[in-house]
């Protein structure tokens, strides 16, 4: 289904960009495209993707913030400079892993939502 939609969009774009039918035909195509965009099923999928994008955009920064606080806390622990450095490095590596996992999780959610929208 996804490939078929891509082909249709490509053909329509090619026709619009390459057509010598004039402004009137362009306006007809533009109007039909706007009508399709405004259909309830299309807007429903747009809403889903928008909400998913908002939640994903909020999830990763919160993981980054929490990780930064943990790294700062590790750097502020009591002990020798070497112990502080070791704790900070260990916490930084864990934080990097947490951020990577959050980004991958959100990327999977977006891919799944996109696949569901194509169905």
């Amino acid at each position: 289904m996804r490939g078929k939609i891509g082909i249709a969009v490509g053909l329509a774009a090619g026709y619009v960009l390459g057509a010598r039918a004039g402004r009137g035909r362009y306006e007809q195509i533009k109007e039909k495209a706007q009508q399709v965009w405004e259909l309830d099923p299309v807007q429903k999928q747009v809403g889903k993707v928008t909400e998913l994008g908002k939640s994903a955009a909020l999830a990763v920064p919160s993981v980054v913030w929490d990780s930064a606080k943990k790294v700062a806390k590790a750097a502020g622990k009591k002990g020798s400079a070497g112990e502080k450095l070791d704790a900070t490095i260990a916490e930084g590596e864990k934080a990097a892993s947490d951020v990577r996992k959050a980004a991958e999780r959100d990327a999977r959610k977006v891919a799944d939502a996109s696949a569901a929208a194509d169905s």
Side-chain angles (χ1 to χ4, degrees):
M1 182 71 179
R2 186 170 164 176
K4 292 177 186 176
I5 292 173
I7 290 172
V9 168
L11 288 172
Y15 181 78
V16 169
L17 294 174
R20 297 186 187 262
R23 184 73 180 179
R25 182 68 179 143
Y26 169 78
E27 290 298 331
Q28 286 177 336
I29 294 169
K30 182 178 163 187
E31 183 179 320
K32 290 294 180 187
Q34 186 64 34
Q35 288 173 354
V36 169
W37 177 256
E38 292 173 359
L39 290 173
D40 286 339
V42 173
Q43 287 304 307
K44 182 179 177 184
Q45 295 303 326
V46 168
K48 286 181 183 179
V49 171
T50 301
E51 287 304 313
L52 181 61
K54 287 178 184 177
S55 66
L58 295 175
V60 172
S62 69
V63 171
V64 171
W65 177 251
D66 292 343
S67 297
K69 290 192 303 187
K70 290 176 184 176
V71 170
K73 186 176 179 180
K77 286 184 177 178
K78 292 185 179 183
S80 69
E83 292 171 339
K84 288 181 184 182
L85 181 59
D86 289 343
T88 303
I89 290 171
E91 196 59 48
E93 289 172 350
K94 184 179 178 306
S97 175
D98 291 345
V99 170
R100 187 189 79 250
K101 287 176 186 175
E104 289 171 350
R105 180 190 65 233
D106 289 345
R108 276 192 306 275
K109 286 181 183 178
V110 170
D112 292 346
S114 176
D118 286 343
S119 303

